[in-house]
Amino acid sequence: MNHKVTIADIARELNLTGATVSRALNNRKGTSEETRKMVQEVAERMNYRRDRIAWSLRSGRTNIIGVIIPSAEINFFGSVIHGIESMANQHGYNVLIYQSNEQPEYEQKGIETFLSTRVDGILASIAKETLDFSHYLEIKERGVPLVFFDRANDSLNIPSVVVDDFKGAYYATEHLIRQGYKRIAHITGQQHLKIFKDRLEGYKSALAAYGLPVEPDLIYQGNVSIEAGRQAIAHFLGLPQPPDAVFAVEDFTALGVVKELKDRGIDMPEAFGVVGFANESFDEHITPSLSSIDQQTVQMGKEAFKLLMEMINEGEEGTLVKSRVVLDPVPVYRQSSMRR
Amino acid sequence: MNHKVTIADIARELNLTGATVSRALNNRKGTSEETRKMVQEVAERMNYRRDRIAWSLRSGRTNIIGVIIPSAEINFFGSVIHGIESMANQHGYNVLIYQSNEQPEYEQKGIETFLSTRVDGILASIAKETLDFSHYLEIKERGVPLVFFDRANDSLNIPSVVVDDFKGAYYATEHLIRQGYKRIAHITGQQHLKIFKDRLEGYKSALAAYGLPVEPDLIYQGNVSIEAGRQAIAHFLGLPQPPDAVFAVEDFTALGVVKELKDRGIDMPEAFGVVGFANESFDEHITPSLSSIDQQTVQMGKEAFKLLMEMINEGEEGTLVKSRVVLDPVPVYRQSSMRR
DNA sequence: TTGAAAGCGCTAACAC
DNA sequence: GTGTTAGCGCTTTCAA
């Protein structure tokens, strides 16, 4: 019972040779209808399962893709994994995951085991700490398809799937303008991170599009945390002309804003409007519920897999697949900014 | 550059034979210190990576474990995956994930590909819809180690790692009693699910331990949702002798309770205490923050992997590993129930 | 239409 | 200490 059924076993059973059985099982041409049926029946009866290891060694493929994420505990990545796995599943691929814990050494190790496992392709989101990208370049050099998602690096010339941060910020700001807020502030994050810079640009651009001035006083540099949101409000309300709305660079900062405004008894959305970014799961449950920008995580996973698939299938020749997918973020308006 | 370096390449380079190179690389005895060094140097220089597929075919092992979860999008499972992967990583294992989407057919398919991939072991959380367990029994019959986590089935005699729901409910109820609440209600879930039944028992048991009566009126049968929480409160407050606290079977129901109490202007925790179950991420961000019972998800993943490892290592002989790990849940008390 | 043989890359048993 | 040989399970020539 415990013994694994192999092609040889089936061959013996039917007085055939392994080659024929293999052909029959894979519906290759060059086998009589008759034998094919017989073989498949017997295989079924003996509960045969093709050994993917042997198949891989022979074929040079594994039907496995490797995915490197900072941590599966972060909602965002769990969601992306969901998208990746469901697509992979549909295409007969399996997903191997590896967590970098934001550390380049782990990334490196993950890549090594992936290459060693001969995965057919790799999807990765770069660790925050990573500055040297040679391990990623090795993947490329080895000819293994690689696609970045969310955390990409433009200078490496590696295909990627990201969300349009500029646009998301533009949407958020525009929404506040249309809701009638007059002085809209922004709490930004560390400026060496591209996503935060892009969001700042989107904010500025929306203001400009509606003929509003960009006031340096209304841009607060935070460090992405609840506390930063609170501090920003303290700062803003101390201004001679305080703002009446704020677009925060991400939801935890926005949460701090909401908490601080509540503590100060300032009404949202009437007296003050707030929009965050990321559409975290707590957004809809806090009071007032928080408007935010959804980053299309599941879709991101799906697109990343699709892109990788194209690369795998096109092989060496290279019909030059689309190398950059930019997803449109989706605004989710809730109580914190909906005046009407 | 693109050509993969094999043991044969190194052997040729050094005028040795593959066997010797293999021995040297794996630090097997029976190689001179000298050759070993040379081989390892050349391997390094040529950027050799052992081919795990070939190694697996030869050794019959893969150093890969398969994990079946309902969905990676559910926080709970992302968190468990985090625990599993980090442990696996430490032990040189990789993690293949497969989502059942709560459907038995997918489970079945996942198991087939896992067996076909010759994973060294399988961790699984049973899909809600699954009634027939023959696919799980096949794993066992094939001699592949299997451990259930969270969603287990006791009648199958398969090792599992679960959290102690009874105890968690006991803690929650006891806490409310100690906070001085006099009439403590419970909102329960569908009684055909063991976890909900256990929580109900834990609730009753704590009341009994403190000499309090179990009043049927104070047990509301809900369906696990925000709405159920709201309805429960409407019901409770209509009673001749309403309760002054409620232990809800899980956090979304508790959230409904909190929302409804707020809408009715009832003060928490003074006039009414609330405790949920699961320690969802929104708990600490709502107002008042919600007391809950943490299910030790990361730890669950780690324990599940450890148990699986023991089974893998003990092999056929079977020293009979511990077959059931029951984790102690951890209460997290917040504003919704902390009177002092 | 089927069989024989080779080989994917590795390691273990046995010889020298 | 090193080489020879064989085989893990499969697929794919090439020959019959």
Side-chain angles (χ1 to χ4, degrees), chain A residues 7 19 22 48 58:
Chain A
I7 282 189
S22 170
Y48 168 81
R58 183 63 238 248

Side-chain angles (χ1 to χ4, degrees), chain B residues 48-149:
Chain B
Y48 168 82
R49 302 254 176 278
R50 174 217 255 152
D51 187 318
R52 284 177 81 194
I53 299 294
W55 173 82
S56 290
L57 185 59
R58 183 65 239 244
S59 67
R61 302 182 44 210
T62 52
N63 278 11
I64 292 177
I65 64 159
V67 180
I68 296 175
I69 52 173
S71 166
E73 217 182 350
I74 300 174
N75 283 248
F76 180 92
F77 293 108
S79 199
V80 179
I81 291 282
H82 173 72
I84 294 172
E85 204 277 334
S86 49
M87 273 305 258
N89 201 339
Q90 279 175 39
H91 290 81
Y93 277 78
N94 283 126
V95 176
L96 212 45
I97 67 159
Y98 202 98
Q99 299 180 109
S100 70
N101 291 305
E102 305 285 9
Q103 283 161 28
E105 309 83 61
Y106 276 96
E107 256 179 358
Q108 163 85 34
K109 217 181 127 207
I111 289 170
E112 292 210 0
T113 63
F114 280 173
L115 291 177
S116 174
T117 310
R118 287 211 221 168
V119 295
D120 291 344
I122 296 177
L123 295 177
S125 215
I126 304 174
K128 274 192 187 140
E129 308 276 327
T130 302
L131 298 171
D132 171 23
F133 297 91
S134 50
H135 44 306
Y136 282 117
L137 292 173
E138 190 191 343
I139 299 177
K140 215 177 157 188
E141 275 166 21
R142 289 237 185 180
V144 176
L146 168 65
V147 171
F148 285 134
F149 61 91

Side-chain angles (χ1 to χ4, degrees), chain B residues 6-7 22 26 48 54 58:
Chain B
T6 72
I7 280 188
S22 169
N26 295 305
Y48 168 82
R58 183 65 239 244

